[in-house]
Amino acid sequence: MSIVVVDYGIGNVKSIINAFDNQGETLVLSRDESVIMKANGLILPGVGAFSHGMNNLEKYGLVKVIIEYVKTGKPLLGICLGMQMLLEESEEFGDTKGLGLIKGKVIRLPVEQTNKIKLPHISWNGIKEKNIDWKETIFDNVKCESDMYFVHTYVAKPENEDEILSVTDYFGVEFCSSIKKDNIYGCQFHPEKSAVLGLSIIKNFINICK
Amino acid sequence: MNKTRIIARLDVKNDFVIKGIHLEGLRKVGDPNAMAKKYYNQGIDEIIFMDAVAAYYDRNSLTHIIEKACRDVFVPITVGGGIRKIEDIQIALNAGADKTAINTKAVQNPNFIKEASEVFGSQCIVSSIDAKKKVDGQWEVYVDNGREPTGIDVLEWVKEVESLGAGEIMITSIDKEGTKKGFDIELNELVSSIVSIPVISSGGAGKKEHVSEVIKSTNVDAVSIASLFHYGIAPVDSLKEFLVNEQKIDIRL
């Protein structure tokens, strides 16, 4: 069994590796096509700007590899920017094309930024069940309204609401905080930074990969 | 809704967490990794490690502490002190930190905030500002761990770092720091009202009521705490229970 983190020079990969280690799984960091295709699970990490992330995936020839990997039906988990890049495009710094694995786009959190409603949204915030039963997903045994750690300004807006695994409220605006489409998972928050509950999500993902 | 974050601040010198008054008169209070782990187990929301002597050596020397902390602490970690180059940020992030706090270098070269936030994203860049009240009632920015006055007005500087792309501001009141007399409410209110990025309030908590006071009477998004936790006046879990149950403040339990 091997779970691979996509190595494309973006994101705090160390934290993800440490969190999986804590749950008994040693991750493989790689950008090698054969290693990725053989993986039992794949993690797409990422922080920072969407276009920077996509450019790096393209630079290492990883766009095609990730799309091919997903076709095998094996699990993929995108975290933060890694989730956003699963969509078709983002409006951050002008429209940029994403991986297109999930229909929809990435938009700026639709709140009016003030001295009370701040952006980036940096906070612990609750995740709520939407259209998918959490049982046997990465949120198996995670209670509705559990707090996770968020740090972002943009959010994914999937076209198909049935692909929204959870929603989160930020000053009255409900946004998509995680997605699930068949074997594809994405979390806007950082499970690797969300204390014990985050680690239980990681444990669930490991079990899904087995 | 937004949950106010409770952050433990560990100022580190020669591998020991130290605590002083007004950022001076430092004394050892414990091992940084053991303390970080304890606060994590008690439910802390974030941890900030500050290199208290970085200004002397012009570099950050906490990499080995961060690497170790990130193996058993699974909440966001910020590292500050002696961040002078883009490469320093990369080293901190590679060690497992999520954010870096930048102070002196930003004053010397404001463009550093802009450059750093463009390379790593705003979410990585905390502008750490040490403020001291002047006789005229205004606040002045100090650098080099609270030792050097700069002549810069705090409120103007706060607006500038926001426009340069800082993701958060950590405002430390030098007058209140380590005094256990409570936060500088006026300063925190002013700073948190003129920006639309998150503000972390730091310096002064000596009892639980000081924490609820600054949260309730200002727009700060997070509170950084040292003495309360380090001296066991209020452990993380008991502080959080007090804030939620008695003060009805929305935080993560």
Side-chain angles (χ1 to χ4, degrees), chain A residues 191-203:
Chain A
E192 78 281 13
K193 288 287 168 182
S194 294
V196 178
L197 289 171
L199 293 176
S200 72
I201 292 172
I202 284 169
K203 184 85 195 163

Side-chain angles (χ1 to χ4, degrees), chain B residues 82-136:
Chain B
I83 305 290
R84 301 286 189 265
K85 304 188 292 286
I86 290 294
E87 193 194 345
D88 298 337
I89 301 174
Q90 191 64 61
I91 290 169
L93 300 184
N94 288 349
D98 301 277
K99 316 180 212 182
T100 52
I102 301 170
N103 184 348
T104 304
K105 182 65 190 182
V107 172
Q108 291 166 350
N109 173 19
N111 217 38
F112 185 62
I113 297 260
K114 187 163 188 277
E115 196 189 344
S117 62
E118 279 171 6
V119 174
F120 301 103
S122 287
Q123 82 291 332
C124 265
I125 309 302
V126 181
S127 169
S128 172
I129 300 174
D130 293 339
K132 197 168 170 32
K133 201 166 191 170
K134 295 188 297 184
V135 282
D136 66 358

Side-chain angles (χ1 to χ4, degrees), chain A residues 12 14-15 18-19 22 47 113-116 118-120 122-124 147 149 151 169-171 193-195, chain B residues 1-3 5 40 45 70 74-76 94 96-99 123 168 192-193 195-198 219 221 252:
Chain A
N12 190 345
K14 188 77 162 270
S15 298
N18 285 340
N22 183 271
V47 293
Q113 190 177 2
T114 67
N115 61 1
K116 289 210 166 53
K118 312 220 174 159
L119 287 177
I122 304 180
S123 180
W124 293 78
D147 283 332
Y149 182 73
V151 46
D169 178 277
Y170 190 55
F171 289 99
K193 288 287 168 182
S194 294
Chain B
M1 277 313 295
N2 201 16
K3 292 190 170 70
R5 289 169 284 146
Y40 170 69
D45 292 331
C70 293
F74 299 100
V75 294
N94 288 349
D98 301 277
K99 316 180 212 182
Q123 82 291 332
E168 286 178 272
S192 61
S193 300
V195 290
S196 48
I197 55 175
N219 285 320
D221 304 86
R252 175 184 78 105

Side-chain angles (χ1 to χ4, degrees), chain B residues 48-229:
Chain B
I48 295 178
F49 288 98
M50 292 293 265
D51 186 336
V53 289
Y56 289 133
Y57 305 106
D58 225 26
R59 66 180 176 90
N60 186 286
S61 60
L62 304 184
T63 306
H64 61 293
I65 291 170
I66 303 298
E67 278 177 350
K68 194 158 177 247
C70 293
R71 282 199 289 270
D72 35 42
V73 170
F74 299 100
V75 294
I77 289 179
T78 302
V79 58
I83 305 290
R84 301 286 189 265
K85 304 188 292 286
I86 290 294
E87 193 194 345
D88 298 337
I89 301 174
Q90 191 64 61
I91 290 169
L93 300 184
N94 288 349
D98 301 277
K99 316 180 212 182
T100 52
I102 301 170
N103 184 348
T104 304
K105 182 65 190 182
V107 172
Q108 291 166 350
N109 173 19
N111 217 38
F112 185 62
I113 297 260
K114 187 163 188 277
E115 196 189 344
S117 62
E118 279 171 6
V119 174
F120 301 103
S122 287
Q123 82 291 332
C124 265
I125 309 302
V126 181
S127 169
S128 172
I129 300 174
D130 293 339
K132 197 168 170 32
K133 201 166 191 170
K134 295 188 297 184
V135 282
D136 66 358
Q138 303 296 303
W139 287 266
E140 183 177 358
V141 175
Y142 274 61
V143 294
D144 286 341
N145 211 38
R147 285 179 198 90
E148 293 292 324
T150 63
I152 299 169
D153 178 72
V154 167
L155 300 183
E156 281 172 24
W157 182 232
V158 159
K159 289 297 286 180
E160 185 168 352
V161 298
E162 178 185 33
S163 70
L164 288 167
E168 286 178 272
I169 288 169
M170 177 162 76
I171 183 84
T172 303
S173 160
I174 297 173
D175 308 295
K176 297 283 185 175
E177 205 282 329
T179 62
K180 306 199 194 86
K181 287 181 179 161
F183 294 87
D184 187 333
I185 299 295
E186 193 189 355
L187 171 68
N188 279 290
E189 173 55 17
L190 284 168
V191 170
S192 61
S193 300
I194 60 169
V195 290
S196 48
I197 55 175
V199 173
I200 303 165
S201 174
S202 170
K207 54 180 183 179
K208 294 185 225 178
E209 287 78 7
H210 290 150
V211 182
S212 50
E213 183 191 17
V214 75
I215 296 171
K216 283 182 166 175
S217 50
T218 75
N219 285 320
V220 298
D221 304 86
V223 183
S224 148
I225 292 165
S227 301
L228 263 190
F229 296 153

